[in-house]
Amino acid sequence: MEITLDRFSFHYAPSQQDVVSGITMGIPKGSCCAVLGPTGAGKTTLLLAISGALAAHYSSGVGEGEIAIGPKVFRPMPDKILFPEVGLALQESHLMISGLHETVRGEVGFSLENIGTDTKVKEEKIVLAMENVGILHLAERNPFMLSGGELQRVVLAALLAVQPAVLLLDEPSNSLDAEATAMLVRILRGLHKNTTVVFSDHQLDLAILVADRFLVLQDGEMVFFGEKKPFLKNLEQFKGFLPVDQWSKVIPQLSRKHAPHIRLLSRLLEIR
Amino acid sequence: MIQSVKDQIRREMSGAALPLIAFSMALNLSVGQITGALKIPVYLDSLGTVLSAVLLGPWAAVVAGCLSNVLAAALGNPTMMFFLPPMIAIGVFTGIVARAGWFRKSSLCILGGVIQGLLAAGLSAPISAHLFAGTTMGGADFLVVFFRSHGYSIFESVLFQGLLMDPVDKVITYLVVFSLTRNLPGRLVTRFPGASHLSTSGE
Amino acid sequence: MRFGTASKFSFSFALALLAFFLPWQVSLSFMPVIVLLEIFLSPFRPLSAGAHKKFLQFIGYLTFLGVLIVGMNGLLLKSGEVVLRLLWFNIYDGGIEFGLNVASRLLLLSSAILLFFVSTPIKMLADFLGHIGLSKKIVTIILLATFYLDQLPQRITQVFWAQEARGAPVRSNILQRLKSFFSILAPLTLSSLVESVDRGMALQLRGFQGYASLSQPRDLQDLKTAFLIVFSSLLALLSYLIWK
């Protein structure tokens, strides 16, 4: 589904300042958008707003503008959580683990259970999703015994299992090592063309390797929104608040290769 | 009128309210673990209800209070089911005084706690007297026996015992909630509709 | 005819209602019936061996409470004739009669409620509440609360130990202990409140909602049985009151 924001602003309480302000952007169906910016730029707020959790959980908050997801237009934003059409993975993966299941397999199936998936179909989808994110070997483990990166993959598998039309990921590369990041790149690239992805990051690695749209935020204001070419061209402009240095050096290589390959990523991450 | 009540209920029971109500219930049922371990002779078993009333409002507090007692019954203490009326009163009264801004000042909290204690004592006395004849095997039973042995009726004895104990219990409960709401992180407080009636809301 | 959650609920409700009207002899004679039902009748079978033990413990507690109520009232309620002289104390039959009435009512009421809960898992209770028309939100709240209840005691123990290790006076005089109470409760409540609310949101983001988690469709046969039970017990009660 296509996502459109029109002059969207939000602040958490009537007397407070805007946390995001005047965001206007359009993300076509099936594309992948990176929301970039330093901590406190409003990235999480934006993802929460699209998911519906912001209006539902911050009742004192005040929004303006509109958010459209597919054919549905919400003014100023969806007022209830749009799961399973829209799936959001919070940055704190441990919060997303329900704790109602003792195995990773059960945990991945929890979301499917919640939307009333038939048992047999559920089992197939669980296995497929676990395979997709490479956690099949963890199937019988207790989710609370896993590392941060593994937990993040469990949450991702659980979200992918319900096949949301819009996938929102808050700082997905945060607790991942190079290998896991490479896997995330593969997963995001391998997603069905009908899935629209929006993820936030304060680093550039993942964004440059998978995103085709870029939104750059600073103090809630939109500094840039556009496709990859103009973004890479203007990279120096974001120097003050994005870690562009290491990328400025390798971008010529990237452009030459045109579509950066997974092996290149591993090598690049090793350079760091 | 009905529409405005419905709106009010909807506001108090949306989004972040549901986990807060659930947390309040768990707090009501678990706080005894702390008072028990520290051997403090108070119950504080309406702590969660009061917290819900302050952060959300009277309706949410009534839901939190009643469901706490139902859950307590489900977990093996069916006698809690009989004490729904005082729980409802605690929710409604606290919700109303919190709206009036009483949780902005500790002195008003003490006053609120005293009134709340008297109200709770008045409502639980008939239940205690009628159903349990004043015997609950709680620590306060000796007071009931004391009054009864001095010639007071069961109802009077239970009432006197409640009037002595409940205000203390409720004042402590109110003060705990008062200090808690002052220390809640701002972003969290703004998630709840009762925030505007607290001094922490940054109005 | 099916005997499901609704039927069980109405059975317990009918017993609890009768407890207010029946003489103590009849109320007390229901007690062994309740215990036998809990042991032998499958819909009332407890959820686990632990639940069964808790059930028996509670019945024991109630019986002890009942004896206490009878004894105290025999001693303190000076009405009727002295039936027993114990050292300096006189026991009056009016007090005993009153105590028996209160105790039997309490016993029957509480055990009727317990009989329902001991054999009904929280999830089925939530199902049932949903089926009788309670809001989806209520069902969500109950399920979330049981989830938090699982974790809060552990957390309390952790914070308690941490405070004790830091030298908080957890075993000192009452004022010191009250101070410790604040120092335990404040961090505990703040941190668990923040986490609970965030976790609630996270669970909703994973599609967790009361009704969606309901496993059983509405059981009409069960509702029919429930109606029959309530109807017949009301009828029995009415005829008893007229006869009396």
Side-chain angles (χ1 to χ4, degrees):
Chain A
M1 276 194 266
E2 174 189 6
I3 304 169
T4 319
L5 270 73
D6 187 14
R7 282 163 291 171
F8 177 73
S9 304
F10 182 84
H11 46 270
Y12 281 96
S15 54
Q16 289 176 1
Q17 271 188 325
D18 274 349
V19 179
V20 286
S21 172
I23 311 288
T24 298
M25 65 169 177
I27 308 167
K29 177 176 159 184
S31 55
C32 179
C33 175
V35 181
L36 302 168
T39 309
K43 305 185 294 287
T44 303
T45 302
L46 201 63
L47 294 184
L48 284 174
I50 300 172
S51 76
L54 193 62
H57 276 262
Y58 291 87
S59 55
S60 315
V62 185
E64 263 175 70
E66 67 174 45
I67 294 179
I69 299 167
K72 287 184 199 150
V73 181
F74 304 94
R75 287 192 188 89
M77 64 190 128
D79 61 354
K80 61 171 193 236
I81 290 172
L82 298 175
F83 191 84
E85 286 78 25
V86 180
L88 166 64
L90 297 175
Q91 194 182 339
E92 301 86 0
S93 301
H94 69 277
L95 288 178
M96 303 283 293
I97 299 296
S98 75
L100 297 168
H101 294 276
E102 280 167 13
T103 61
V104 167
R105 181 191 296 277
E107 195 55 53
V108 172
F110 175 66
S111 303
L112 289 166
E113 230 167 70
N114 289 333
I115 55 168
T117 312
D118 174 77
T119 318
K120 197 167 164 256
V121 181
K122 189 179 94 180
E123 286 310 315
E124 283 167 14
K125 286 190 169 181
I126 292 173
V127 173
L128 205 68
M130 286 196 298
E131 216 165 31
N132 196 1
V133 301
I135 53 164
L136 210 49
H137 63 288
L138 302 175
E140 304 309 323
R141 294 268 299 276
N142 184 328
F144 285 111
M145 299 295 172
L146 302 179
S147 72
E150 287 170 332
L151 217 51
Q152 213 166 14
R153 276 148 75 181
V154 174
V155 172
L156 192 59
L159 273 183
L160 291 176
V162 297
Q163 293 165 309
V166 175
L167 183 63
L168 309 170
L169 308 170
D170 194 10
E171 305 258 357
S173 66
N174 214 11
S175 51
L176 300 185
D177 55 17
E179 198 183 329
T181 309
M183 180 162 275
L184 186 61
V185 171
R186 186 186 56 76
I187 295 163
L188 291 180
R189 283 196 188 153
L191 280 179
H192 197 268
K193 284 290 162 244
N194 287 333
T195 313
T196 312
V197 181
V198 184
F199 69 88
S200 67
D201 213 335
H202 60 276
Q203 297 287 336
L204 285 171
D205 311 338
L206 187 66
I208 290 180
L209 288 162
V210 293
D212 50 29
R213 297 286 187 289
F214 297 79
L215 171 69
V216 182
L217 295 176
Q218 191 193 13
D219 297 329
E221 306 268 348
M222 188 167 108
V223 181
F224 174 89
F225 176 72
E227 294 186 21
K228 194 169 194 167
K229 247 186 180 165
F231 173 74
L232 291 178
K233 214 169 151 188
N234 292 310
L235 206 55
E236 285 294 317
Q237 191 187 318
F238 316 125
K239 205 170 179 171
F241 49 93
L242 281 179
V244 300
D245 280 354
Q246 71 240 32
W247 280 102
S248 308
K249 286 174 215 145
V250 292
I251 275 170
Q253 288 179 45
L254 280 176
S255 337
R256 235 178 305 160
K257 291 253 177 186
H258 200 64
H261 194 267
I262 188 76
R263 262 184 246 123
L264 174 64
L265 166 78
S266 318
R267 223 183 311 144
L268 289 172
L269 290 168
E270 272 161 25
I271 293 170
R272 285 174 62 201
Chain B
M1 167 74 184
I2 293 174
Q3 191 55 38
S4 81
V5 170
K6 271 188 176 170
D7 283 348
Q8 176 81 17
I9 295 177
R10 196 171 308 135
R11 227 185 355 261
E12 287 180 26
M13 299 273 295
S14 63
L18 305 189
L20 178 66
I21 293 173
F23 173 75
S24 301
M25 290 163 62
L27 193 62
N28 277 345
L29 301 187
S30 319
V31 76
Q33 197 189 335
I34 313 178
T35 54
L38 288 171
K39 299 197 179 64
I40 300 175
V42 285
Y43 305 113
L44 306 187
D45 54 356
S46 54
L47 188 66
T49 312
V50 172
L51 189 69
S52 274
V54 174
L55 290 178
L56 299 171
W59 298 107
V62 168
V63 171
C66 291
L67 289 182
S68 296
N69 287 14
V70 171
L71 201 61
L75 295 171
N77 187 3
T79 49
M80 289 297 280
M81 286 293 277
F82 308 130
F83 290 95
L84 288 179
M87 231 9 169
I88 293 173
I90 291 170
V92 172
F93 176 80
T94 313
I96 291 171
V97 298
R99 283 283 143 90
W102 285 31
F103 276 80
R104 285 186 178 137
K105 270 189 170 173
S106 57
S107 54
L108 283 174
C109 273
I110 294 174
L111 177 66
V114 171
I115 300 175
Q116 176 68 87
L118 300 178
L119 199 66
L123 280 168
S124 36
I127 303 169
S128 243
H130 190 65
L131 283 179
F132 300 92
T135 319
T136 52
M137 282 189 19
D141 280 358
F142 77 95
L143 270 176
V144 178
V145 175
F146 173 80
F147 285 123
R148 283 194 68 187
S149 61
H150 282 73
Y152 293 100
S153 72
I154 298 177
F155 176 73
E156 286 163 342
S157 309
V158 174
L159 185 66
F160 293 160
Q161 175 266 326
L163 292 177
L164 272 176
M165 303 279 293
D166 283 3
V168 179
D169 190 67
K170 297 300 178 280
V171 166
I172 297 181
T173 305
Y174 268 45
L175 286 177
V176 169
V177 172
F178 172 73
S179 78
L180 279 177
T181 48
R182 289 184 88 85
N183 291 311
L184 283 183
R187 180 70 66 89
L188 185 74
V189 176
T190 59
R191 290 173 87 154
F192 307 118
S196 52
H197 308 285
L198 296 168
S199 48
T200 44
S201 66
E203 284 178 307
Chain C
M1 211 160 84
R2 256 185 50 76
F3 207 85
T5 315
S7 317
K8 269 198 304 188
F9 178 78
S10 54
F11 182 76
S12 293
F13 173 77
L15 273 183
L17 189 73
L18 290 176
F20 283 96
F21 298 96
L22 297 176
W24 64 266
Q25 297 89 336
V26 184
S27 285
L28 281 187
S29 60
F30 267 111
M31 288 308 298
V33 178
I34 288 181
V35 175
L36 288 176
L37 281 177
E38 195 261 356
I39 297 175
F40 293 111
L41 202 67
S42 72
F44 289 111
R45 290 282 270 283
L47 303 169
S48 63
H52 174 65
K53 204 173 145 199
K54 225 171 168 183
F55 175 81
L56 291 182
Q57 268 174 359
F58 200 81
I59 299 282
Y61 160 76
L62 282 173
T63 314
F64 182 66
L65 191 62
V67 172
L68 208 68
I69 289 174
V70 174
M72 286 248 299
N73 283 287
L75 197 68
L76 295 170
L77 205 70
K78 298 177 173 73
S79 78
E81 305 206 338
V82 176
V83 283
L84 196 67
R85 241 177 254 279
L86 276 176
L87 301 172
W88 304 275
F89 302 110
N90 293 331
I91 308 276
Y92 295 84
D93 66 349
I96 291 197
E97 173 94 22
F98 174 80
L100 278 169
N101 271 316
V102 173
S104 62
R105 188 173 55 219
L106 177 68
L107 258 166
L108 185 55
L109 257 177
S110 304
S111 41
I113 298 173
L114 195 63
L115 185 65
F116 172 74
F117 283 121
V118 77
S119 54
T120 312
I122 305 271
K123 211 167 173 179
M124 262 166 86
L125 174 69
D127 262 354
F128 169 67
L129 293 175
H131 287 159
I132 60 167
L134 234 69
S135 146
K136 185 164 149 181
K137 290 178 174 172
I138 301 284
V139 180
T140 310
I141 291 171
I142 293 180
L143 294 175
L144 274 176
T146 56
F147 179 61
Y148 298 150
L149 253 179
D150 262 355
Q151 302 185 326
L152 212 52
Q154 283 171 23
R155 226 177 162 133
I156 290 175
T157 313
Q158 277 169 5
V159 177
F160 196 89
W161 281 347
Q163 291 293 335
E164 199 175 5
R166 251 191 247 167
V170 294
R171 302 189 204 292
S172 192
N173 67 48
I174 176 87
L175 278 177
Q176 291 288 333
R177 276 182 280 143
L178 204 62
K179 224 170 128 190
S180 303
F181 174 72
F182 272 88
S183 65
I184 289 171
L185 197 66
L188 173 83
T189 316
L190 278 182
S191 66
S192 8
L193 177 62
V194 173
E195 196 178 317
S196 300
V197 173
D198 280 342
R199 186 178 287 278
M201 181 171 86
L203 287 178
Q204 284 169 7
L205 281 167
R206 292 198 56 195
F208 179 76
Q209 281 178 21
Y211 278 166
S213 319
L214 296 186
S215 41
Q216 300 295 321
R218 194 194 294 253
D219 185 342
L220 284 176
Q221 284 295 321
D222 179 31
L223 287 175
K224 236 186 241 172
T225 317
F227 176 75
L228 262 174
I229 292 172
V230 173
F231 184 74
S232 50
S233 51
L234 282 178
L235 205 70
L237 182 65
L238 204 69
S239 20
Y240 168 75
L241 289 176
I242 291 170
W243 171 75
K244 207 175 142 191

